[in-house]
Amino acid sequence: MAPVLSQHSLSMMLMSEVVEVTESVSVFITPGEVVSSSISSSAMSSMMMLSSSKLMTQSSDETAATVITLGSVSSSTMVSMTMPTSSIVASSTVIPPTPPTTQQPPTPTPTTPPESRQLRPFSKDNAVPSGRTCPSVDIPQTVGLPFHGRLYYKAYICGNGIVSFNRNRWIKYPVPFGNSADIADLVAIAPFWSLVAPEQPNGSGTYWEKLSEQALTTYTNEIQTTVQNQNFTASWGLQVTWENLVAHTTPVNTMMKNTFQIQIITDGISTYTLFRYPQNGIMWTLPNNDTYLSNLQIGLPVAGYTDGNVTSPTFQNIAQSGTTGIASSVSGMNTNTAQRGYWRYTLASGMKRLSEGSCRAFLAQTVPSGNPLRCPCSLGQVIVDRRFLFDAIANNQICYRSRFIRNGLRRRCCFSLTRPGFGAYQRGPRNSNAGYVTRFTAGRLDVTGHSYCCSATTPTNLCIQFFSQYPSGNCRQAPNLVWFWGDPHFTTLDNQNYTFNGIGDFILLRNRTAGGKRFEFHSRCDEISPGAGATVFKAIGGYEGNSGNVEFKANSTGSRIDFYYNGQMQSIGNQSRSYAMDSLLIAVNDTSASAEFESGTILQVALRSDGILDSSISLSRDYYGNTEGLLGRWDGMANDFTNLTGTEFPLASITPQQLHDVANTWRVNPASQILVHPPPSDANYKPKFVNNITFSSPQLQTEANNICGSDLQCLFDAAVTNSSAIGSQTKVIGQNFTRERKELDHEPPMMTAPSSINVTVGSVRSFEVTATSPNGYAINYTLIGNLPTGITFSNGSSGRFNWTVASANPVSLTFIATDSRGKSSSFTPVVNMCNCTSNGICMWDSSAGQAFAIVPCQCSAGYTGSRCQSDINACVANPEGCFPGVACIDLPASSGLPGYRCAACPQGFSGNGSFCADIDECQVSQGNCSHGCTNNVGSYQCTCPNGYYLGMDGRTCQDINECNSANDCQQICQNIPGSYRCSCNPNYVLGADNKTCTATAACPQPNNCSMHFCHMANGTQICTCRTGYMKTGDNCSDINECMMNNGGCSNGCNNTEGSYSCTCPSGVTLNQNNVQLAPGYPIYSGIPTAARATTYALPGSVLVTILSNNTLQVTNAVSAQQVMTIQQVTPTTMETTTATTMATTMATSRPTSRPTTMPTTRPTTMPTTMPTTRPTTAPATIATAPSNDNLIIGLTLGIGGSVVLILFAFLGYYFKKSRSNANRKHKPRDFTKLYGEKAQELTKLNDL
């Protein structure tokens, strides 16, 4: 699986984006460790495959390094990358750097506090189960976790290094945030999202815990100090620890483990997350030897976060996410806290809590028990209902609040101010501005819950939940108003009238039966003046349930009202006060007072200037059918007047004297007295009756007749008090009470209509809306709202509604019934709209409850969309359904589940495309390798023993003729299979080091041979030339190797004394205009967005990005351990000259071997897989062309006595522009010429 590179495979470097190169950029590598001359095809492919990886940050051990500098001489901009020159790392395992030797400068001691990166203590009580599971942790509703403008209430903890807030699914393959549509809506924090084995060995796992109060305090102090957020006080936090995680590989490698930790803390307003990577905590990035994923750049770890906002995303990838460099990046010093291995991110920061969070916190509170008064059914009723006070006008509504507080709650009642429907009672949640139950604190209604939950930025379901917990409630008929006033006149519960002039204490009302809450009210009457024959009310009192006894009394001067509670006079000033555990509300000023009881019953008195008390009782409808006393039985019949024993006396037929006698039966038994002080005596009292009204003077009678007219109570009071003014007050008061009662008794129409309307597009919906008037008035029907076409509503004895549903556009329907006196009721049904196609069914039970809701569709298998209108793209729905690199083919919906199929497994794998297992090619004929075979994931590599190199076929090992290149034999080199040996010329013997030769008869020193070999023969000094020289007479002269076949150099040849060197040009320059890309060339999409958006230029900064994004390939290409740093520098003149010189000469001193005649043997040890000699350190150059339309990045490596150009990135760009007077447009690409001129170079490269 390691074939020789073809020209087509080299074309993998071509890029499709067409830009205009505006700068000439040179890249060079300063001398470092020399790479070997035989490069495997897999390494070559790695160098050639551009990726979206990012540059590693600098390690603490930056000794003996290779620097790649990228820049433009003309623009004076350079970028340098530093790479340690230790041994090649073939897999993606991160090996901790080797400590420096004594010859190397010491590693700087970090100044950062070492404890910041260390794991905080953690518990293993809560462990993530094995397998691809992501258990959830609840975030308190009272807090919530704000994350870039949204709130979340669950955290899903996955064992592969990710915490999500909206997905509970294990996502196997990491992808840098912002780079994939598959995770565009993912809301997550990922300290180290990686290919973790779902099943972890003992001692490995993922653990979570909620932070303690002590820990929250610690992190609060840190945030206040470091982020300068003094308002932050953490109220909830989560700690997750991933300990000793192993990679997903077979067999499991338990030697390489990853450990890291995060804390997430919030106060419901701001959120912060802390990443911790302990020393040596990150030991792997990809499963060992998974060169397949490494080459595809799939599965490399990602660290950062994303907010899941599809339209305007905010995300953060820690530098080199998606590359092998991520390990050193997260663990290094270059963090956003300036502390090694410790990162801090702000996920939300604000001055106040989001409305949703405040709403959820409000709804999480315990709802006080109790049932506040229900609202009256019309605006007219609430205005005269003494139980309610004006609150506010807003949103075309007027609202009132109940005066009485039940268990800390009041009712807010709202009514429409628009026509039609003026004064109609409004209900929530269909009307989100309707009234509701609310707390009353600090003298005002608590409207915060409603303002948070029903705001435009809060989800609708929270407003619905608010009205569920704090409901508007159905309206209820107002209390029954009865009044007793003047020279005592009574209006009964069933609206009958009479006058009773009694002296003493009398029972006004009480329960007729023992059932229900007990109540009783008494009145005290006394003669208005001695001998007047008429009485007035002097005190009123009573109780309900456990309220205690209440009494309002006109004081002796008749100037104010005194208030007694349980027999004791109270002084509360002109204010309200609660008694009896809030079951009684008292309001008193000098001339009026009221007592409101828990049922909503109100006792109210007003003191006239003449000392007469006028009183009323608004009796709760809870007591209907269960009353007796002077105010009668309440049952809707004319049977109000009875005696104490229950005998009925019709008021229409009873005489005034009889009425007086019957009323006297309701005199209070002294043992049951409620009112303080003894009642007045009636021993000498003789009452006057209304049928015998006598005026003291004709003038008074005339005045009374003019004022009172036919008002009997007015005439009577004027006569008995000798005051027409008193009679006038009696008349006005009676008229006012009568109007109030008339308004209270006028009920709006009672409507009957569907509470919800389920409709589908294309259907017809019809129904009737009916209403009845409790007062018998005629009714008119009206329909208002956001009405679509196709609706008709007829007005007759009922409202006939017909709707031909033509679209799914939002609709609102409000039906209004108005009686002939102007009282209205309104009703807004829920409209549930379904627009599912035939591929789905309507889920009617899922409607939310607001006035209009689109019903979700349950799609049949294979369909998707809000209406089930689209054939689901099963490949998008199952992004990990196929093995990495295997094409996913979407199938028609009719094919059933799973709805897709996978193409064949890649070469080197077997399986069904969904699951692909590596083929161990070495198990079959040893991979056709002549010697050794090493299996890799998705590929394999033939290897050779020492002394051999891998041939061009990638399979056969061929002997290295060490004698054809530089060797350490002093005279004669003899090649042998897998090695070589040294020998000596005649008259010389091989030394103990098996390298040097010593003459058997040595010449004296000095001798005539100078630097060359010398031996004595017959007393004569005989000279033998060293390698690189030839005998000319008695002397040795230099051999000019460049004169013979150019020294074997492919380009320049430079002769030196005793040797020579080959030179090469400074890269490859292309000067053609139009470019045609051959069919089959791959497309590279990694050009930075900024480079291809509008500028259509490829400046040096873009090349920096490309090079930075391919550090893994560059690392492999130059045989370095890893790329450590990249930085922009401004070159000096010397730097520029050096760069130019190095890119031009590329000279490497390379001794050329010469045949000798003196054999010597010496076995040596040679490299195994990439055999070559490394006599010197050669420079490597990445060069670009000055052409504005084309660019080649090549890597030139000095190898022994030759120079090899490895094309690892080939960028072909074309851009043509045309201008018009109106605007500037880009013409279509016009590729007309092949890179034919470079065919020869590519062929040579293929041969190498």
Side-chain angles (χ1 to χ4, degrees):
M1 293 186 64
V4 177
L5 286 173
S6 65
Q7 181 167 338
H8 173 72
S9 65
L10 292 173
S11 67
M12 299 282 288
M13 281 66 69
L14 288 175
M15 299 183 180
S16 64
E17 295 295 332
V18 178
V19 298
E20 183 177 19
V21 180
T22 60
E23 297 179 87
S24 176
V25 183
S26 293
V27 183
F28 61 91
I29 303 178
T30 58
E33 187 177 43
V34 178
V35 299
S36 52
S37 61
S38 177
I39 298 181
S40 68
S41 60
S42 61
M44 181 79 76
S45 298
S46 295
M47 290 185 289
M48 289 162 36
M49 291 293 292
L50 293 173
S51 72
S52 61
S53 60
K54 296 184 178 178
L55 191 63
M56 293 184 179
T57 54
Q58 184 172 350
S59 170
S60 60
D61 301 301
E62 291 185 0
T63 62
T66 298
V67 178
I68 298 179
T69 303
L70 174 64
S72 170
V73 175
S74 62
S75 63
S76 300
T77 301
M78 285 191 170
V79 175
S80 64
M81 294 192 303
T82 305
M83 301 181 294
T85 56
S86 56
S87 59
I88 299 175
V89 181
S91 73
S92 299
T93 300
V94 179
I95 300 177
T98 305
T101 63
T102 56
Q103 289 79 18
Q104 295 171 326
T107 303
T109 302
T111 59
T112 303
E115 66 273 7
S116 297
R117 68 188 302 180
Q118 298 304 318
L119 302 185
R120 294 301 181 251
F122 63 95
S123 167
K124 296 186 178 182
D125 292 343
N126 300 312
V128 173
S130 297
R132 292 185 173 91
T133 60
C134 300
S136 66
V137 176
D138 289 333
I139 302 169
Q141 295 285 314
T142 55
V143 180
L145 189 137
F147 194 156
H148 284 190
R150 299 181 182 178
L151 280 169
Y152 300 93
Y153 293 88
K154 280 188 181 295
Y156 301 96
I157 303 171
C158 301
N160 60 344
I162 191 170
V163 176
S164 172
F165 300 97
N166 66 339
R167 289 193 191 181
N168 62 348
R169 179 170 61 88
W170 178 294
I171 307 175
K172 181 177 181 181
Y173 294 104
V175 180
F177 297 127
N179 286 7
S180 172
D182 295 336
I183 61 169
D185 62 344
L186 176 66
V187 182
I189 303 172
F192 207 76
W193 181 15
S194 52
L195 285 174
V196 173
E199 305 291 337
Q200 291 289 312
N202 291 335
S204 301
T206 302
Y207 312 99
W208 64 269
E209 57 199 297
K210 297 178 182 179
L211 293 175
S212 66
E213 290 296 329
Q214 180 178 358
L216 292 176
T217 300
T218 300
Y219 292 124
T220 294
N221 295 333
E222 176 180 343
I223 296 302
Q224 289 182 352
T225 302
T226 58
V227 185
Q228 300 300 314
N229 184 353
Q230 300 301 319
N231 296 320
F232 180 79
T233 301
S235 55
W236 184 85
L238 177 68
Q239 177 172 281
V240 184
T241 306
W242 291 266
E243 183 186 34
N244 297 330
L245 301 183
V246 300
H248 192 193
T249 183
T250 303
V252 173
N253 183 355
T254 58
M255 300 300 295
M256 309 302 292
K257 301 178 180 179
N258 287 347
T259 298
F260 48 95
Q261 185 184 72
I262 66 168
Q263 288 85 29
I264 305 169
I265 50 177
T266 185
D267 62 353
I269 300 173
S270 301
T271 302
Y272 304 91
T273 183
L274 314 175
F275 293 6
R276 302 183 192 276
Y277 305 91
Q279 186 174 7
N280 298 327
I282 305 299
M283 303 178 68
W284 61 268
T285 56
L286 272 181
N288 290 341
N289 300 320
D290 199 333
T291 55
Y292 175 75
L293 290 179
S294 179
N295 289 338
L296 289 180
Q297 293 293 291
I298 293 177
L300 288 164
V302 170
Y305 64 83
T306 179
D307 68 354
N309 189 325
V310 177
T311 57
S312 181
T314 300
F315 56 85
Q316 175 71 50
N317 293 307
I318 290 182
Q320 301 192 76
S321 287
T323 76
T324 55
I326 184 62
S328 59
S329 183
V330 298
S331 302
M333 280 290 298
N334 191 23
T335 67
N336 62 359
T337 64
Q339 302 181 49
R340 184 184 299 276
Y342 180 53
W343 301 75
R344 183 189 307 111
Y345 288 108
T346 301
L347 304 181
S349 180
M351 297 302 295
K352 64 179 183 178
R353 174 178 279 179
L354 296 173
S355 294
E356 179 184 349
S358 298
C359 171
R360 291 184 183 275
F362 181 86
L363 295 178
Q365 300 176 26
T366 301
V367 179
S369 60
N371 183 25
L373 295 175
R374 286 158 62 181
C375 298
C377 293
S378 71
L379 175 59
Q381 289 177 330
V382 78
I383 289 174
V384 298
D385 192 333
R386 292 171 172 80
R387 302 172 303 164
F388 293 89
L389 300 172
F390 172 78
D391 184 58
I393 295 178
N395 303 305
N396 292 320
Q397 296 181 147
I398 183 170
C399 299
Y400 286 75
R401 66 174 185 265
S402 59
R403 297 174 67 247
F404 193 81
I405 302 173
R406 291 187 178 181
N407 296 328
L409 295 179
R410 282 187 171 181
R411 177 86 68 181
R412 192 174 197 236
C413 307
C414 297
F415 303 85
S416 173
L417 292 179
T418 61
R419 298 184 185 277
F422 181 87
Y425 175 62
Q426 303 297 295
R427 300 175 183 84
R430 298 167 194 178
N431 181 343
S432 62
N433 294 313
Y436 45 86
V437 173
T438 180
R439 294 177 176 86
F440 188 83
T441 57
R444 59 189 304 175
L445 292 179
D446 180 6
V447 298
T448 56
H450 179 264
S451 64
Y452 292 140
C453 296
C454 296
S455 74
T457 60
T458 305
T460 304
N461 66 298
L462 292 180
C463 187
I464 295 171
Q465 184 179 347
F466 171 83
F467 277 104
S468 175
Q469 295 181 205
Y470 301 88
S472 301
N474 292 325
C475 65
R476 187 185 188 188
Q477 199 171 0
N480 197 350
L481 177 65
V482 292
W483 60 97
F484 34 102
W485 79 111
D487 191 5
H489 312 294
F490 297 84
T491 299
T492 68
L493 289 165
D494 285 324
N495 205 24
Q496 293 185 292
N497 298 290
Y498 68 91
T499 298
F500 166 56
N501 283 311
I503 289 182
D505 290 358
F506 297 92
I507 298 173
L508 291 171
L509 272 178
R510 70 180 183 187
N511 303 84
R512 187 157 57 92
T513 63
K517 183 179 294 185
R518 300 297 300 172
F519 72 93
E520 188 164 345
F521 296 102
H522 294 178
S523 66
R524 175 168 292 170
C525 299
D526 199 358
E527 196 168 15
I528 191 170
S529 62
T535 60
V536 294
F537 294 106
K538 292 295 185 178
I540 307 293
Y543 69 90
E544 180 187 73
N546 297 318
S547 68
N549 291 337
V550 176
E551 179 180 351
F552 298 122
K553 178 181 179 181
N555 73 349
S556 58
T557 64
S559 60
R560 72 171 188 270
I561 296 175
D562 292 336
F563 163 51
Y564 291 82
Y565 181 69
N566 285 337
Q568 300 295 320
M569 186 173 177
Q570 308 289 312
S571 177
I572 63 175
N574 295 330
Q575 60 180 347
S576 298
R577 178 178 294 180
S578 296
Y579 291 84
M581 303 296 291
D582 290 339
S583 64
L584 174 67
L585 178 65
I586 300 295
V588 179
N589 61 36
D590 288 342
T591 60
S592 66
S594 66
E596 182 172 354
F597 300 90
E598 192 172 14
S599 67
T601 295
I602 296 179
L603 171 63
Q604 190 168 19
V605 299
L607 180 63
R608 298 188 195 180
S609 59
D610 52 17
I612 299 175
L613 281 179
D614 297 318
S615 307
S616 67
I617 295 177
S618 297
L619 189 64
S620 170
R621 295 194 177 265
D622 294 341
Y623 300 124
Y624 180 81
N626 188 22
T627 65
E628 64 180 6
L630 291 178
L631 294 176
R633 291 183 177 182
W634 186 17
D635 55 10
M637 297 183 290
N639 57 356
D640 283 2
F641 199 65
T642 65
N643 62 16
L644 184 63
T645 62
T647 303
E648 296 181 16
F649 294 89
L651 288 173
S653 59
I654 194 172
T655 67
Q657 182 62 55
Q658 289 175 318
L659 185 150
H660 186 85
D661 294 340
V662 171
N664 257 319
T665 65
W666 292 106
R667 187 178 296 275
V668 174
N669 187 321
S672 303
Q673 182 177 324
I674 293 176
L675 305 178
V676 297
H677 304 127
S681 172
D682 64 341
N684 300 315
Y685 172 66
K686 294 182 179 180
K688 291 182 179 180
F689 301 109
V690 293
N691 62 346
N692 187 21
I693 299 175
T694 302
F695 290 94
S696 60
S697 68
Q699 181 181 357
L700 176 62
Q701 183 174 3
T702 301
E703 291 178 359
N705 287 332
N706 292 335
I707 293 173
C708 300
S710 61
D711 190 315
L712 189 61
Q713 290 87 2
C714 174
L715 292 171
F716 182 78
D717 286 3
V720 297
T721 62
N722 292 318
S723 172
S724 59
I726 293 177
S728 177
Q729 289 188 57
T730 298
K731 177 181 179 181
V732 171
I733 292 170
Q735 289 175 337
N736 290 339
F737 278 124
T738 300
R739 281 194 296 269
E740 288 185 25
R741 175 149 186 175
K742 185 176 182 181
E743 184 63 44
L744 291 171
D745 289 345
H746 185 178
E747 294 293 323
M750 300 174 60
M751 299 180 64
T752 302
S755 60
S756 62
I757 305 172
N758 296 339
V759 294
T760 58
V761 176
S763 67
V764 177
R765 185 76 165 88
S766 300
F767 57 83
E768 285 190 357
V769 177
T770 60
T772 58
S773 170
N775 304 95
Y777 301 130
I779 296 175
N780 181 67
Y781 298 92
T782 310
L783 174 61
I784 63 172
N786 181 18
L787 306 179
T789 58
I791 284 183
T792 60
F793 187 66
S794 59
N795 185 12
S797 58
S798 63
R800 181 68 183 174
F801 176 83
N802 291 279
W803 182 13
T804 301
V805 185
S807 73
N809 295 331
V811 174
S812 65
L813 305 174
T814 298
F815 297 95
I816 298 173
T818 305
D819 66 23
S820 57
R821 299 297 179 91
K823 277 286 178 69
S824 296
S825 294
S826 66
F827 180 76
T828 301
V830 173
V831 178
N832 297 317
M833 175 70 71
C834 178
N835 195 21
C836 304
T837 66
S838 59
N839 304 317
I841 59 175
C842 304
M843 301 176 66
W844 298 110
D845 294 338
S846 300
S847 56
Q850 62 267 39
F852 177 82
I854 293 291
V855 176
C857 302
Q858 182 177 349
C859 299
S860 303
Y863 291 93
T864 187
S866 60
R867 302 175 50 237
C868 303
Q869 74 277 16
S870 302
D871 181 345
I872 191 171
N873 188 330
C875 294
V876 174
N878 300 276
E880 297 177 359
C882 296
F883 190 73
V886 174
C888 177
I889 302 168
D890 183 44
L891 300 177
S894 58
S895 63
L897 297 176
Y900 68 94
R901 65 179 177 84
C902 300
C905 290
Q907 186 178 1
F909 293 86
S910 64
N912 59 6
S914 178
F915 175 79
C916 297
D918 175 56
I919 298 173
D920 189 350
E921 294 87 352
C922 297
Q923 297 296 321
V924 181
S925 300
Q926 198 169 280
N928 293 324
C929 297
S930 64
H931 289 76
C933 180
T934 299
N935 183 62
N936 296 320
V937 177
S939 66
Y940 71 101
Q941 183 179 19
C942 294
T943 59
C944 297
N946 292 341
Y948 293 85
Y949 70 92
L950 194 62
M952 292 174 55
D953 62 359
R955 294 184 174 88
T956 305
C957 294
Q958 299 184 10
D959 176 55
I960 299 172
N961 189 344
E962 295 86 354
C963 299
N964 287 340
S965 60
N967 57 73
D968 51 6
C969 292
Q970 198 171 42
Q971 291 188 353
I972 298 174
C973 176
Q974 179 184 0
N975 185 60
I976 60 176
S979 187
Y980 68 98
R981 60 174 173 260
C982 300
S983 61
C984 299
N985 294 325
N987 300 312
Y988 291 86
V989 295
L990 190 65
D993 61 0
N994 290 326
K995 300 178 184 178
T996 60
C997 294
T998 305
T1000 55
C1003 296
Q1005 296 294 334
N1007 54 56
N1008 297 329
C1009 297
S1010 184
M1011 60 175 289
H1012 299 283
F1013 298 107
C1014 179
H1015 72 274
M1016 300 297 294
N1018 299 323
T1020 303
Q1021 295 182 6
I1022 306 298
C1023 295
T1024 302
C1025 298
R1026 288 184 178 273
T1027 302
Y1029 295 83
M1030 65 181 178
K1031 201 71 173 288
T1032 306
D1034 292 334
N1035 299 318
C1036 294
S1037 60
D1038 174 61
I1039 298 174
N1040 188 345
E1041 294 87 350
C1042 295
M1043 299 299 293
M1044 297 177 290
N1045 193 28
N1046 198 35
C1049 298
S1050 62
N1051 290 284
C1053 180
N1054 180 34
N1055 186 61
T1056 61
E1057 185 70 22
S1059 185
Y1060 72 100
S1061 61
C1062 296
T1063 62
C1064 64
S1066 61
V1068 182
T1069 300
L1070 299 178
N1071 291 311
Q1072 59 267 21
N1073 294 321
N1074 297 329
V1075 179
Q1076 179 175 335
L1077 305 182
Y1081 283 10
I1083 301 301
Y1084 173 72
S1085 61
I1087 297 295
T1089 303
R1092 57 176 175 226
T1094 57
T1095 64
Y1096 294 93
L1098 191 68
S1101 61
V1102 177
L1103 292 180
V1104 170
T1105 303
I1106 295 174
L1107 188 62
S1108 301
N1109 287 345
N1110 296 277
T1111 55
L1112 177 63
Q1113 288 69 36
V1114 176
T1115 300
N1116 294 336
V1118 298
S1119 301
Q1121 176 180 332
Q1122 60 185 14
V1123 176
M1124 302 303 297
T1125 62
I1126 183 169
Q1127 61 183 18
Q1128 292 190 355
V1129 298
T1130 302
T1132 63
T1133 303
M1134 181 178 67
E1135 289 173 335
T1136 304
T1137 304
T1138 302
T1140 306
T1141 302
M1142 296 186 67
T1144 304
T1145 60
M1146 293 297 296
T1148 303
S1149 177
R1150 177 175 150 325
T1152 305
S1153 63
R1154 301 166 184 254
T1156 59
T1157 58
M1158 300 178 66
T1160 302
T1161 61
R1162 188 189 76 78
T1164 61
T1165 302
M1166 304 296 293
T1168 56
T1169 58
M1170 305 179 75
T1172 184
T1173 58
R1174 299 183 182 182
T1176 61
T1177 299
T1181 299
I1182 298 176
T1184 66
S1187 167
N1188 285 340
D1189 293 317
N1190 306 282
L1191 170 65
I1192 286 183
I1193 299 178
L1195 181 62
T1196 307
L1197 305 176
I1199 303 172
S1202 64
V1203 177
V1204 179
L1205 174 66
I1206 299 177
L1207 189 66
F1208 83 91
F1210 189 109
L1211 309 180
Y1213 293 106
Y1214 166 72
F1215 175 68
K1216 295 186 70 176
K1217 299 175 289 184
S1218 66
R1219 292 182 174 89
S1220 65
N1221 293 331
N1223 53 20
R1224 179 178 178 179
K1225 299 180 179 179
H1226 301 292
K1227 291 184 179 180
R1229 302 177 183 182
D1230 181 19
F1231 302 117
T1232 59
K1233 185 189 288 186
L1234 283 168
Y1235 279 127
E1237 293 84 346
K1238 293 294 109 183
Q1240 184 177 1
E1241 284 81 357
L1242 296 176
T1243 301
K1244 289 180 181 179
L1245 180 56
N1246 181 63
D1247 293 341
L1248 289 172

